[in-house]
Amino acid sequence: SQQGEEDPQALSIQEGENATMNCSYKTSINNLQWYRQNSGRGLVHLILIRSNEREKHSGRLRVTLDTSKKSSSLLITASRAADTASYFCATDEAWVAAGNKLTFGGGTRVLVKP
Amino acid sequence: ETGVTQTPRHLVMGMTNKKSLKCEQHLGHNAMYWYKQSAKKPLELMFVYSLEERVENNSVPSRFSPECPNSSHLFLHLHTLQPEDSALYLCASSQELGRGPYSNQPQHFGDGTRLSIL
């Protein structure tokens, strides 16, 4: 089964509301990253939180990490129509002797209605 | 602009064709990746190159053949593909291949090649 799993799979909100999505994972991680993907485009890195951090902010984004529960959340405050996208968590974990790898979850599709 | 350019953006090919996907990064990064993104499945890592050397092929079928001639370019050569290979193929790069518990390597993605196998 996959390392990161997002919840919910889809989310529909009105512009101005907050959007919260969660990510759960199974094994020990070095860091956890969140990415955004607009339709027909590649993934864009949003924020990285290390395993020894509990909360991080970047603009309207707030990420929390609870390593005891193996979970993370992404909060988008005061959402805008331009925030409509799929959001993915990715866990950075030990992989081979040469280095780590990112394992992506299935994503949360967010629709922000104007 | 993400600094990672993929061509072509769309590709339709028959199962007996041979084609190549190209990725170029202008970020001075040393690690490059190929991912496959299928509908309703998580992003799957296919190949990783670090300093032009393949790190792992992740048990990808041999009908996919990667090539990394230098740290800025990555190719994915395709031959005798199957219908289930239809997907979005994404290239990414990072400064280095992350190592150890203090890794800090966000990846920069291209916009992908949408591949359809007839």
Side-chain angles (χ1 to χ4, degrees), chain A residues 35-85:
Chain A
Y35 288 79
R36 182 187 75 232
Q37 184 178 33
N38 291 89
S39 180
R41 305 297 299 274
L43 279 72
V44 174
H45 179 260
L46 295 177
I47 199 165
L48 180 153
I49 185 166
R50 296 185 187 280
S51 60
N52 62 353
E53 296 176 309
R54 292 295 166 259
E55 188 170 313
K56 205 160 183 180
H57 297 254
S58 177
R60 294 183 295 111
L61 305 180
R62 173 178 168 253
V63 168
T64 64
L65 179 64
D66 187 335
T67 53
S68 66
K69 294 181 179 177
K70 292 187 169 55
S71 68
S72 174
S73 68
L74 171 66
L75 168 67
I76 306 173
T77 60
S79 62
R80 305 167 181 167
D83 295 328
T84 293

Side-chain angles (χ1 to χ4, degrees), chain A residues 1-64:
Chain A
S1 59
Q2 61 202 46
Q3 166 75 320
E5 296 188 17
E6 286 91 340
D7 169 59
Q9 291 188 338
L11 183 59
S12 181
I13 56 174
Q14 293 294 137
E15 205 165 26
E17 293 180 340
N18 295 342
T20 300
M21 60 210 85
N22 304 295
C23 170
S24 60
Y25 58 90
K26 294 179 171 58
T27 63
S28 296
I29 61 172
N30 301 312
N31 64 63
L32 186 143
Q33 304 179 28
W34 285 92
Y35 288 79
R36 182 187 75 232
Q37 184 178 33
N38 291 89
S39 180
R41 305 297 299 274
L43 279 72
V44 174
H45 179 260
L46 295 177
I47 199 165
L48 180 153
I49 185 166
R50 296 185 187 280
S51 60
N52 62 353
E53 296 176 309
R54 292 295 166 259
E55 188 170 313
K56 205 160 183 180
H57 297 254
S58 177
R60 294 183 295 111
L61 305 180
R62 173 178 168 253
V63 168
T64 64

Side-chain angles (χ1 to χ4, degrees), chain B:
Chain B
E1 288 295 327
T2 64
V4 180
T5 304
Q6 289 188 243
T7 54
R9 289 295 311 277
H10 301 273
L11 179 62
V12 179
M13 56 187 285
M15 289 191 284
T16 58
N17 292 157
K18 290 185 180 181
K19 295 285 184 184
S20 296
L21 310 184
K22 179 182 176 182
C23 175
E24 183 174 1
Q25 57 98 358
H26 310 275
L27 302 168
H29 288 172
N30 291 320
M32 296 187 77
Y33 312 80
W34 278 118
Y35 288 91
K36 176 183 179 183
Q37 188 176 33
S38 306
K40 300 182 180 180
K41 289 180 73 175
L43 215 60
E44 301 172 62
L45 179 63
M46 299 177 71
F47 299 103
V48 179
Y49 278 83
S50 177
L51 297 171
E52 302 145 50
E53 299 227 350
R54 189 193 296 183
V55 174
E56 183 64 39
N57 72 355
N58 236 35
S59 302
V60 176
S62 60
R63 56 186 184 269
F64 296 93
S65 174
E67 178 189 1
C68 187
N70 56 62
S71 60
S72 299
H73 294 86
L74 186 64
F75 295 89
L76 187 62
H77 304 299
L78 317 170
H79 64 97
T80 59
L81 295 192
Q82 304 300 309
E84 62 266 26
D85 297 323
S86 296
L88 181 67
Y89 288 84
L90 291 164
C91 172
S93 69
S94 62
Q95 185 63 54
E96 305 288 347
L97 180 61
R99 286 184 179 83
Y102 305 108
S103 171
N104 176 13
Q105 297 296 329
Q107 293 184 11
H108 299 252
F109 285 79
D111 285 334
T113 294
R114 174 69 62 185
L115 177 65
S116 299
I117 307 299
L118 301 178

